[in-house]
Amino acid sequence: MFAVLCGGVGAARFLLGAKEVCEADQLKAVVNCGDDIVLHGLHISPDIDTIIYTLSGEINPITGWGLREETWQAMGNLAKLGGKAWFNLGDKDLATHLFRTELLAQGATLTQITAALAEAFGVEIAVLPMSDDRIETRVLLDETALGESGEVGFQEYFVKLQHNVPVKQVRFDGASSAETSPQVVTALKEAEVVVIAPSNPVVSIGPLLALEEIRQAVSKRFSQGRPVVAISPLIGGRAVKGPADRLLSELGAEPSSVGIAKWYEDLIDTLIIDQADSHEAEAVEALGVRCVVTATDMSQPGVAADIAKLAFGL
Ligand code: FO1
């Protein structure tokens, strides 16, 4: 069994490849919920939904989030009423949030609801929220830039401000007292390999590692010499999607393979990096991290499956 620590789009693409090289029941995705937001009274879990929609073939191929062949009638009407319409919820996608919110109100856990959603979408991989407790990624903006200041929720930073503002600090509200589910703890303990998906190390993997039980489980494996493999989300020092490179620099880390290796210091034994960054392999290995150089552009056919094979040691 293989456990994968996941953000949204990059992780979902990796899992599609992973599914080609091993049985679906051998895969457990542990997914970031720091991006979750309550809007219009609805609980939205973007990374969980991106993974379920991608694995079921229902993802919107243009945006990388939301459902394919979506319509936007509800949002259009909401905008006319003067409601909050900056976070786009498609008509079909709304059903997912209605379903989740109603079941949460009835006392079901996010883990149970996610399993029900995955089953309804025909997803065979175990999709496990990182926690059933609420953890909120909060972003402190640099007040010296653009006149923006103060702290905002992750989606306000990412969608409303289009991650176009310098960041001073990121914190994960609720993480210090949150627990993770027994399913996640067992997955991280029993997996042959734990893989850190090519997701944003700061805001996608950061919330997972901010949970004591997850960090401890990964770090224990590492100290026991059991494989923990990360895949760099950078190609040529740039994020494939989103602000990973900028966030790393803004928070004082290098937006490079070396920077990623240092970010995951004492957690990973292997880092898979892109060919475009091969000149960094020696410097990564000098940090005591085995460095594997390969093609990592998962928009190309077969690449995600090839990386999964390397990561899983198959
Ligand atoms: N991303 C956007 O850039 N704009 C949106 O309006 C938007 C809406 C949205 C609705 C549901 C959902 O599950 C995801 C959505 N996303 C949107 C993507 C999402 O906010 C981010 O890509 C992730 O949180 C980052 O991993």
Side-chain angles (χ1 to χ4, degrees), residues 4 13-23 27 304-305 308 312:
V4 185
R13 287 190 182 154
F14 172 77
L15 289 170
L16 270 184
K19 216 172 62 152
E20 286 178 39
V21 301
C22 68
E23 296 298 323
L27 284 167
F312 298 158

Side-chain angles (χ1 to χ4, degrees), residues 35 44 46-47 49 65 86-89 93 154-155 158-159:
D35 297 14
I44 302 153
D47 285 353
D49 293 347
W65 51 265
W86 58 269
F87 196 75
N88 294 289
L89 299 170
D93 187 33
F154 175 77
Q155 296 299 349
F158 196 88
V159 175

Side-chain angles (χ1 to χ4, degrees), residues 279-291:
H279 57 281
E280 289 193 76
E282 219 173 288
V284 169
E285 298 225 322
L287 296 168
V289 175
R290 186 170 73 99
C291 189

Side-chain angles (χ1 to χ4, degrees), residues 6-7 32 34-35 47 130 135-140 154 157-158 167-172 196-211 215 233-234 239 242-255 259-260 263-264:
C6 297
N32 172 38
D35 297 14
D47 285 353
M130 65 183 194
I135 297 113
E136 259 184 278
T137 301
R138 308 278 306 167
V139 181
L140 182 66
F154 175 77
Y157 160 71
F158 196 88
V167 169
K168 225 153 76 173
Q169 199 193 323
V170 174
R171 68 182 186 93
F172 308 108
I196 300 181
S199 298
N200 186 318
V202 182
V203 290
S204 298
I205 303 299
L208 291 141
L209 295 176
L211 294 173
R215 180 171 279 273
L234 306 177
D245 46 5
R246 269 200 21 218
L247 272 175
L248 283 166
S249 318
E250 286 163 358
L251 299 179
E254 262 175 68
I260 302 283
W263 192 266
Y264 292 135

